Amino acid sequence: MRPKVLIDLLRRNVKDNIAIIGHKNADPDAVCSMYGLYVLLRHVLPENTRFFLAAEDYSKLSKRIMTEFEIDDLYLFDLEETPECAVIVDANNLEQIGILKEKVPPAKTKIFVIDHHEPHADTCTFSVASLIMNDLVSTAEIIVQIYEDLNVPMDSKTATLLLMGVIFDSRRFILIDDKIFFAVKKLLDFGADYQRALDMLRLPMDRSERIARLKAASRLSLFQIGNWIVAASYVSAFEASACRALIELGADVAVVIAERGDELRISARATEFFYQETGVSLAEVMERVGRNIGGSGGGHVTAAGANGKGDAKKGLNEFLKCISEMLGAKVETLD
Ligand SMILES: [Mn+2]
């Protein structure tokens, strides 16, 4: 779908109000894309349209950006009324928006999706239309394309914010393809402040995050599936960060499990090389794992997660079972 078609649909459906919703613990790509979309829609929707930007919660880095750019007043933690339309940004299933899921019943709210994650089987069941570009590194780049397609000018503040989304999701241009530079060039042409964007994202790692990473390393179990080295561990928080640390240490695949109350959260990462060689997408693995633990999962081919119920051991077994089935090789313990 062309971006313009989605915006035209919004134009036709919004009479009074619209919600722009980010995923739980909205990261800078989500928050900056929400803002970019908001500014654009203010251009194209009637002047008296009411906007609600909301997410269940925002990451620490996102909160810092919102404060520094003096846009924090725009962002809500809840919705007080059922919106006519809602655009879910940087996520593609309702589980990912957490408590806000209850506030946008598909029978009452027309739901749209703008996202760059791997397509999710559920998306078409609740959304009116979706703009999914899983070949892009960030949702911010999709927002840039919408501006382009509609020929709407962008102010320099919006451009700086969107640039932050791109820098954050590409992990400062570690995950890149040629397309990313077109978006960055456009943002710089619109007056984005690269230095400010970069400085804003430089947050020293919390002591608690560093401890979580080190604990993950100390509780490590190693497995081998075929020739691939799988590192597994447990933490009580920062499971995604711990996963990245284990990949840095040398694993081909890392899985870190966090038990929070009776909720189970599983994060997984793989190297780009693993995906290229095997074609096994962690988004698919985690979608299956999520289902098997009574929750949901998804994400990117090399970075994905799942939430559900059960204990950590069950979570790990499900993960190992699913990934070994998809690899067509059995799991062996590496001592
Ligand atoms: Mn993103």
Side-chain angles (χ1 to χ4, degrees):
M1 175 187 287
R2 259 186 73 179
K4 196 175 178 307
V5 178
L6 183 107
I7 301 298
D8 281 340
L9 273 171
L10 284 174
R11 266 200 195 115
R12 250 175 282 147
N13 284 292
V14 175
K15 304 275 180 293
D16 175 73
N17 66 74
I18 179 167
I20 299 174
I21 299 176
H23 53 79
K24 291 195 261 197
N25 196 30
D27 63 12
D29 185 38
V31 165
C32 295
S33 297
M34 287 161 77
Y35 182 80
L37 182 65
Y38 159 72
V39 173
L40 176 119
L41 290 177
R42 279 215 343 215
H43 258 276
V44 301
L45 293 177
E47 211 178 311
N48 53 1
T49 305
R50 293 183 299 138
F51 288 89
F52 314 115
L53 278 64
E56 182 183 300
D57 197 8
Y58 302 89
S59 77
K60 198 173 161 196
L61 202 47
S62 295
K63 283 182 186 153
R64 177 190 188 187
I65 292 166
M66 285 147 61
T67 313
E68 290 287 329
F69 280 78
E70 297 178 351
I71 53 174
D72 41 343
D73 287 351
L74 272 175
Y75 294 86
L76 309 168
F77 291 86
D78 201 355
L79 292 170
E80 282 179 3
E81 55 187 288
T82 307
E84 289 172 350
C85 289
V87 187
I88 295 175
V89 171
D90 200 35
N92 58 24
N93 71 74
L94 291 176
E95 299 308 319
Q96 286 171 283
I97 65 171
I99 53 160
L100 292 173
K101 179 186 171 181
E102 314 299 327
K103 305 299 172 79
V104 290
K108 287 186 181 155
T109 301
K110 292 198 174 70
I111 302 176
F112 299 80
V113 173
I114 298 178
D115 188 34
H116 70 117
H117 294 91
E118 292 299 302
H120 193 283
D122 289 349
T123 308
C124 60
T125 63
F126 64 82
S127 66
V128 177
S130 60
L131 188 59
I132 309 255
M133 298 187 177
N134 58 327
D135 57 332
L136 298 183
V137 175
S138 60
T139 298
E141 290 163 74
I142 308 179
I143 306 294
V144 175
Q145 290 201 12
I146 302 177
Y147 273 83
E148 272 231 293
D149 205 22
L150 291 165
N151 214 358
V152 171
M154 192 188 292
D155 63 85
S156 62
K157 178 176 175 177
T158 305
T160 304
L161 283 159
L162 289 173
L163 182 56
M164 269 188 274
V166 176
I167 297 173
F168 181 80
D169 263 24
S170 68
R171 292 170 49 211
R172 288 188 213 148
F173 303 113
I174 290 177
L175 306 171
I176 52 161
D177 53 40
D178 48 355
K179 289 182 225 85
I180 204 167
F181 296 113
F182 288 103
V184 170
K185 170 76 168 71
K186 270 169 216 144
L187 291 169
L188 294 173
D189 288 344
F190 282 130
D193 185 339
Y194 183 70
Q195 197 56 52
R196 189 174 182 209
L198 211 53
D199 290 345
M200 196 65 70
L201 293 171
R202 218 172 267 143
L203 199 62
M205 198 183 287
D206 261 359
R207 184 185 150 85
S208 48
E209 184 170 354
R210 286 183 287 129
I211 291 174
R213 284 177 158 224
L214 291 164
K215 280 188 177 165
S218 74
R219 296 169 185 162
L220 199 62
S221 315
L222 283 179
F223 301 94
Q224 175 170 301
I225 304 177
N227 248 332
W228 302 104
I229 302 167
V230 180
S233 194
Y234 308 93
V235 290
S236 51
F238 298 109
E239 58 275 11
S241 175
C243 260
R244 289 195 296 274
L246 297 180
I247 293 288
E248 282 292 306
L249 280 177
D252 296 303
V253 177
V255 56
V256 176
I257 299 167
E259 262 182 272
R260 243 167 271 169
D262 63 343
E263 202 200 351
L264 198 59
R265 300 164 62 107
I266 309 178
S267 192
R269 296 289 182 278
T271 60
E272 199 59 49
F273 182 67
F274 172 84
Y275 176 65
Q276 279 164 15
E277 291 291 308
T278 63
V280 169
S281 156
L282 288 185
E284 274 174 54
V285 174
M286 294 314 262
E287 208 175 316
R288 281 173 61 177
V289 171
R291 255 199 316 272
N292 293 352
I293 58 172
S296 70
H300 298 287
V301 292
T302 59
N307 298 328
K309 300 252 182 285
D311 61 17
K313 195 164 178 178
K314 179 180 175 217
L316 176 59
N317 286 340
E318 281 299 338
F319 177 81
L320 291 172
K321 194 183 91 200
C322 287
I323 195 165
S324 77
E325 274 172 21
M326 287 174 75
L327 284 166
K330 66 180 202 307
V331 184
E332 294 164 86
T333 308
L334 255 183
D335 310 299

